[in-house]
Amino acid sequence: MLHQTDGLSLQSPIRPLSVLVFYLLLTHSCRGQLQLIGPPQPIVALVGDDIILPCHLKPEMDVTAEPLEWKRSDLIPELVHVMRAGRSLENVKNPSYRGRTSLFADELKRGNISLKLSNVQVSDQGTYRCDIPLWNRQSSLQLVVVPGAVASAVITLSGMDRVRGGVLLDCASRGWYPQPEVLWLDGEGNLLSAGPTETVRGPDHLYTVSSRVTVEKRHSNSFTCRVQQRTTNQTRETHITVPDDFFTVQSSSVPIITGLAVSLAVCILLILFLLFVVWRWRPTTIKNKRSSSDEAPEGQKEIRFKTNGTEDQCVTADGEREQLMTDGPEPVQLVQDNGQKKSRHLQRREEEQQRREEELQRREEEQQRREEAEKEVQTLKEELETKKNEWQMKLHEETTKREEAERQVETLKELNSKVHATTCEEQEHHSHQEDSSSANHSSASGSLLVIGVDQQGKYIHLTNTSNEEQQLGGWRLEMQVNRKNISFTFEKSFSVKSGDTVTVSCMMCPSPDLWWKDFKPFSPADRLKFTLINITGEIRHELRSLTE
């Protein structure tokens, strides 16, 4: 019994220890599989909105007692929100986020550490990282801040479509997010068929879109370019009216060019036909010349034959008389037969001669017709040349008109560019005047503490122009350089006597009254803003200029 009791007393502390070890191993293995999940796409927000930056654990676990942090690596300090043991620490956060960030306490039990960011500002844009330091788990996301207003759409005349007789219009707009769509409308509100929209995304994640359309002459010649974003419910429209002259020049030149082409085709066919006729007549002419040269010796033979025939007749007649005188009636009959044969032979000769004369006459008529045809061909050639010269003159006139119209288009484009540049300059001048007037007003309405900076951007001067000593203990001097804020807090016992000036400078600058750790020299091109804030948070002085 005693041995058994001792065995139980030895095993009792081992069981809880084994359970604890098993629990720690299980927890470690579960943490090894944990993941912080963020959104795959950038978060888009408008200036002034309240948004949520998602981040949660997978699988779900209670992180209420764990250290939680949200950071931005491009800030100094980089902490956006810090939570320790379920409590938010405001004093360690970046000053620009104080009072604007929070976590959902009820959701921490389910591993949801999403950050709520209130009153979004343009400077809030950047890459955020949610972090559980003890577990070495992190997740990043991108925040894109869209200004409240985007640039208006701008329509320009880019040229003419010579094939369709239309006018090319370009439309462009910038500063959009997410990507918008571009629509073209006519004067009655009907959609026009346009080319594909060209999209360019800048380094600030904002889109610039442009579209081109070819428009033809309509009842009103009024056209509208509409750029719209359905997600943010933003729309920009621009209207343009194209004069009738641009369409008239193009539409009149099309039938003229068509008529010229048809006329040239007809003239070419006519010339080919005349060449074919001449080619067919030429062999016949050569053949007739050859036959004429062959007939000349035959005519000479006929003349010689006729002469010889007359002599033979004379000889024959003498012989016949002598034979009649000697022979009697039978020779007379023979003479008559010979005379008939000779008559028939002479008749055939005369018929052949008549046919030859008719053939010669026919050839002369054909030659005359050929000469007339050649004259007509020459006349047609002259008329064709005259018409060709007339069409060339008309074509030159139309070319001159088109060039004049193109020069007018270029002039209008230059005028549009000048008007656009003038408008931008006026807007910038107006914005500069507003900034100057607001800066002067702030300086005039502030207290008797005056802020000044030197030309080299190394020192900040704080002057007490009042008749009394000014206590600055706990006051803050904030400086914004190109929308990046840094803050300097005066010690509790610090004060400035009447008429004295205190110099605040960076760590590398010699002989200042106060050293500012985060202060860095700035250049004249930087956009600066200095603000002096008292203990109650009231702005006592504000400076936006670069010179004292």
Side-chain angles (χ1 to χ4, degrees):
M1 294 296 293
L2 179 61
H3 178 71
Q4 185 176 1
T5 304
D6 293 340
L8 290 174
S9 62
L10 291 174
Q11 292 179 357
S12 57
I14 295 178
R15 289 183 178 177
L17 181 61
S18 62
V19 173
L20 179 60
V21 172
F22 176 75
Y23 175 76
L24 291 176
L25 291 175
L26 179 62
T27 304
H28 181 72
S29 62
C30 291
R31 288 184 179 180
Q33 298 176 359
L34 287 177
Q35 291 183 345
L36 272 179
I37 308 299
Q41 300 295 333
I43 303 298
V44 182
L46 295 175
V47 174
D49 285 352
D50 296 342
I51 62 166
I52 296 175
L53 304 181
C55 184
H56 66 277
L57 273 172
K58 185 178 181 182
E60 296 180 359
M61 286 189 66
D62 187 2
V63 293
T64 304
E66 299 295 334
L68 306 175
E69 295 179 356
W70 278 84
K71 302 177 182 179
R72 265 183 64 184
S73 59
D74 58 333
L75 295 181
I76 301 176
E78 64 178 2
L79 293 175
V80 175
H81 189 86
V82 180
M83 178 169 282
R84 295 287 187 271
R87 295 182 58 188
S88 298
L89 304 181
E90 292 288 329
N91 56 345
V92 297
K93 295 195 309 184
N94 190 290
S96 62
Y97 287 92
R98 289 177 183 172
R100 297 196 299 125
T101 60
S102 62
L103 299 181
F104 299 92
D106 297 338
E107 296 291 330
L108 295 177
K109 298 178 181 180
R110 290 184 285 272
N112 185 2
I113 58 174
S114 299
L115 179 70
K116 180 180 180 181
L117 179 60
S118 302
N119 190 18
V120 175
Q121 303 174 6
V122 176
S123 60
D124 293 338
Q125 178 168 298
T127 302
Y128 291 77
R129 185 174 73 252
C130 63
D131 185 9
I132 305 178
L134 294 182
W135 295 0
N136 194 22
R137 294 293 182 268
Q138 298 178 351
S139 178
S140 300
L141 60 88
Q142 183 77 21
L143 175 61
V144 178
V145 180
V146 180
V150 296
S152 301
V154 178
I155 299 179
T156 57
L157 293 171
S158 60
M160 296 183 179
D161 190 342
R162 298 181 180 179
V163 178
R164 299 172 54 185
V167 177
L168 295 175
L169 300 179
D170 277 340
C171 179
S173 183
R174 57 184 176 84
W176 290 88
Y177 194 94
Q179 179 179 346
E181 60 179 343
V182 183
L183 304 176
W184 285 94
L185 308 173
D186 60 9
E188 289 75 23
N190 300 319
L191 286 175
L192 300 178
S193 177
T197 302
E198 298 180 1
T199 304
V200 178
R201 187 174 184 179
D204 55 355
H205 302 282
L206 301 182
Y207 290 93
T208 298
V209 294
S210 60
S211 177
R212 173 174 291 187
V213 67
T214 301
V215 296
E216 299 177 353
K217 186 176 181 181
R218 296 174 181 264
H219 178 68
S220 61
N221 290 340
S222 178
F223 305 96
T224 301
C225 175
R226 177 184 297 169
V227 186
Q228 61 183 15
Q229 218 311 309
R230 302 183 185 274
T231 304
T232 59
N233 197 22
Q234 289 183 314
T235 302
R236 293 292 182 272
E237 288 187 355
T238 301
H239 307 277
I240 189 173
T241 301
V242 182
D244 293 337
D245 298 339
F246 293 98
F247 300 104
T248 303
V249 172
Q250 296 300 319
S251 60
S252 61
S253 62
V254 173
I256 292 175
I257 295 175
T258 303
L260 179 61
V262 173
S263 301
L264 290 177
V266 172
C267 293
I268 291 172
L269 292 175
L270 182 60
I271 291 173
L272 293 176
F273 175 74
L274 294 176
L275 292 175
F276 175 75
V277 171
V278 172
W279 176 73
R280 290 295 303 272
W281 282 354
R282 187 172 181 180
T284 306
T285 304
I286 295 173
K287 183 177 180 180
N288 292 335
K289 289 182 180 179
R290 289 179 180 177
S291 61
S292 298
S293 62
D294 294 338
E295 288 173 358
E298 291 180 1
Q300 294 176 1
K301 291 179 180 180
E302 289 179 359
I303 294 173
R304 288 195 299 270
F305 177 78
K306 288 181 179 180
T307 305
N308 294 332
T310 306
E311 292 177 356
D312 293 337
Q313 287 178 2
C314 295
V315 173
T316 304
D318 293 338
E320 287 177 352
R321 283 196 300 270
E322 290 177 357
Q323 189 172 1
L324 288 173
M325 293 174 66
T326 56
D327 295 337
E330 293 180 358
V332 172
Q333 183 66 32
L334 181 62
V335 170
Q336 292 178 352
D337 294 334
N338 290 334
Q340 292 177 357
K341 291 180 180 180
K342 291 179 180 178
S343 297
R344 288 194 297 272
H345 180 72
L346 291 175
Q347 185 176 1
R348 286 195 299 272
R349 292 276 186 177
E350 290 176 355
E351 291 176 356
E352 291 177 358
Q353 182 66 22
Q354 185 177 2
R355 284 197 299 274
R356 289 192 185 96
E357 291 177 354
E358 291 176 355
E359 182 67 20
L360 290 174
Q361 185 177 1
R362 185 178 63 79
R363 291 175 180 175
E364 289 176 356
E365 291 176 355
E366 290 178 355
Q367 182 66 24
Q368 185 177 2
R369 285 196 297 271
R370 283 195 297 271
E371 291 176 354
E372 292 177 355
E374 290 176 355
K375 290 180 180 180
E376 290 179 358
V377 169
Q378 186 65 26
T379 303
L380 289 174
K381 287 182 178 180
E382 293 175 355
E383 292 178 356
L384 179 61
E385 187 67 24
T386 302
K387 290 183 178 180
K388 180 180 179 181
N389 293 332
E390 292 177 357
W391 284 114
Q392 287 179 350
M393 291 178 63
K394 291 182 179 179
L395 181 62
H396 178 69
E397 292 176 357
E398 293 299 326
T399 304
T400 304
K401 290 180 180 180
R402 283 198 302 274
E403 293 176 351
E404 182 66 23
E406 292 177 352
R407 286 195 295 270
Q408 292 179 0
V409 170
E410 294 295 331
T411 303
L412 286 177
K413 290 172 67 176
E414 293 178 358
L415 290 175
N416 286 336
S417 300
K418 291 180 179 179
V419 169
H420 180 67
T422 304
T423 303
C424 293
E425 291 177 357
E426 290 178 355
Q427 290 178 354
E428 292 178 357
H429 180 67
H430 181 67
S431 175
H432 180 69
Q433 288 181 349
E434 288 181 352
D435 291 339
S436 299
S437 62
S438 63
N440 293 331
H441 179 73
S442 297
S443 299
S445 63
S447 68
L448 297 180
L449 290 171
V450 180
I451 303 173
V453 296
D454 65 324
Q455 296 288 346
Q456 288 77 22
K458 297 181 180 180
Y459 300 96
I460 301 174
H461 305 298
L462 185 63
T463 304
N464 184 4
T465 59
S466 66
N467 297 327
E468 299 177 357
E469 182 178 0
Q470 180 67 53
Q471 295 293 332
L472 299 183
W475 287 35
R476 297 197 317 274
L477 177 61
E478 293 187 353
M479 179 174 71
Q480 186 183 73
V481 183
N482 298 327
R483 297 182 178 179
K484 184 175 181 181
N485 295 326
I486 60 176
S487 177
F488 176 80
T489 304
F490 293 93
E491 297 179 355
K492 293 182 179 181
S493 61
F494 186 78
S495 64
V496 181
K497 295 181 180 180
S498 176
D500 287 352
T501 300
V502 178
T503 302
V504 183
S505 179
C506 62
M507 297 295 294
M508 302 302 295
C509 299
S511 302
D513 296 324
L514 295 173
W515 301 101
W516 191 348
K517 179 181 179 180
D518 297 332
F519 176 70
K520 296 181 181 179
F522 48 84
S523 65
D526 292 333
R527 190 176 185 87
L528 303 177
K529 178 182 177 182
F530 299 91
T531 306
L532 183 61
I533 304 173
N534 62 11
I535 299 177
T536 61
E538 179 183 359
I539 297 177
R540 301 306 302 271
H541 188 78
E542 186 175 9
L543 176 67
R544 294 191 182 184
S545 60
L546 291 177
T547 59
E548 291 184 292

